[in-house]
Amino acid sequence: MAKEKKSFLLRLDSELHRAIEQWAADEFRSVNGQIEFILREALRKSGRIKSPPKAPDSD
């Protein structure tokens, strides 16, 4: 079952948006996908969400 996505307006200054846009392009993501990635990593590192389970090694 897919997780429900929430929509909301996010205001960023143009310099921050340009930096995220470039970072997203470097990693072949959309700006939205990059922001989600940044937030998820920050939450994981702070212990506020669990890390995704690691894939088993394929032998």
Side-chain angles (χ1 to χ4, degrees), residues 3-57:
K3 291 184 180 183
E4 180 184 341
K5 296 266 185 169
K6 284 277 217 190
S7 297
F8 71 98
L9 179 62
L10 176 63
R11 289 180 174 83
L12 302 172
D13 68 59
S14 58
E15 182 181 349
L16 181 60
H17 186 271
R18 274 193 298 275
I20 293 171
E21 190 173 37
Q22 183 59 56
W23 188 6
D26 291 347
E27 297 191 5
F28 305 104
R29 290 189 181 104
S30 65
V31 170
N32 186 74
Q34 190 68 23
I35 291 169
E36 189 172 349
F37 172 80
I38 293 165
L39 291 172
R40 191 173 305 282
E41 282 296 297
L43 288 166
R44 185 187 59 74
K45 287 178 182 177
S46 71
R48 295 178 186 275
I49 62 172
K50 294 181 181 177
S51 295
K54 294 186 179 189
D57 292 336

